[in-house]
Amino acid sequence: MMVLIENIDSNNPNPSETHPKAATRIFQLLGHVGGMWSIGASLNSDNLPDAERIQMFAKEVILPTYFDAVEMAKSAEATNLIHDLGDPEIFFADMAHAKLGHWDQLQTVGAKEWAALKEANEQILPLVYKFQAENKTSI
């Protein structure tokens, strides 16, 4: 879906006016997937997995997810997405910079847009919660 939205949005005279870039969504997705190996330990108060298991998770889950996104973009001829994802080394360096809060070191288009949207979302979320409380509803 992200690739299709990206292709349609590329014809818009104001790109990314309606949706975050696909690279931004993939960056956010992989940011969450990248921490999944620690969920069991967090929930069960267990020790973290050993380094070998964490590396295996990265090799078998995280890297294939990134490369699947690149292949989908290629098959859909979404050249903007391929460019916006950036080289894998830079993409994953951006994930580390994001986790550490080093916004000024982000290099890829998706990571930079994610950081800009993160700041906007942090300002909007309190208003959403206030609206929900005042109207006894959920969005």
Side-chain angles (χ1 to χ4, degrees), residues 62-79:
I62 300 168
L63 290 175
T65 303
Y66 170 85
F67 287 110
D68 282 351
V70 171
E71 287 305 313
M72 285 188 283
K74 286 179 182 176
S75 68
E77 298 178 2
T79 54

Side-chain angles (χ1 to χ4, degrees), residues 14 29-30 32 38-39 54 81 85 89 94 99 110 120:
N14 301 311
L29 169 69
L30 280 170
H32 292 301
S38 66
I39 292 173
I54 295 168
L81 172 55
L85 285 172
E89 296 84 11
D94 275 358
K99 288 182 187 285

Side-chain angles (χ1 to χ4, degrees), residues 13-26:
N14 301 311
S16 295
E17 181 179 74
T18 59
H19 296 86
K21 290 182 157 290
T24 304
R25 293 171 183 251
I26 292 166

Side-chain angles (χ1 to χ4, degrees), residues 78-129:
T79 54
N80 287 348
L81 172 55
I82 296 166
H83 173 266
D84 291 350
L85 285 172
D87 292 327
E89 296 84 11
I90 296 171
F91 180 90
F92 289 106
D94 275 358
M95 283 180 53
H97 294 310
K99 288 182 187 285
L100 296 170
H102 299 160
W103 312 127
D104 59 329
Q105 294 180 31
L106 299 175
Q107 297 180 58
T108 62
V109 172
K112 288 178 181 180
E113 185 179 55
W114 170 83
L117 292 173
K118 181 178 180 348
E119 291 175 12
N121 283 337
E122 287 173 353
Q123 293 175 14
I124 293 169
L125 278 177
L127 300 173
V128 170
Y129 298 141

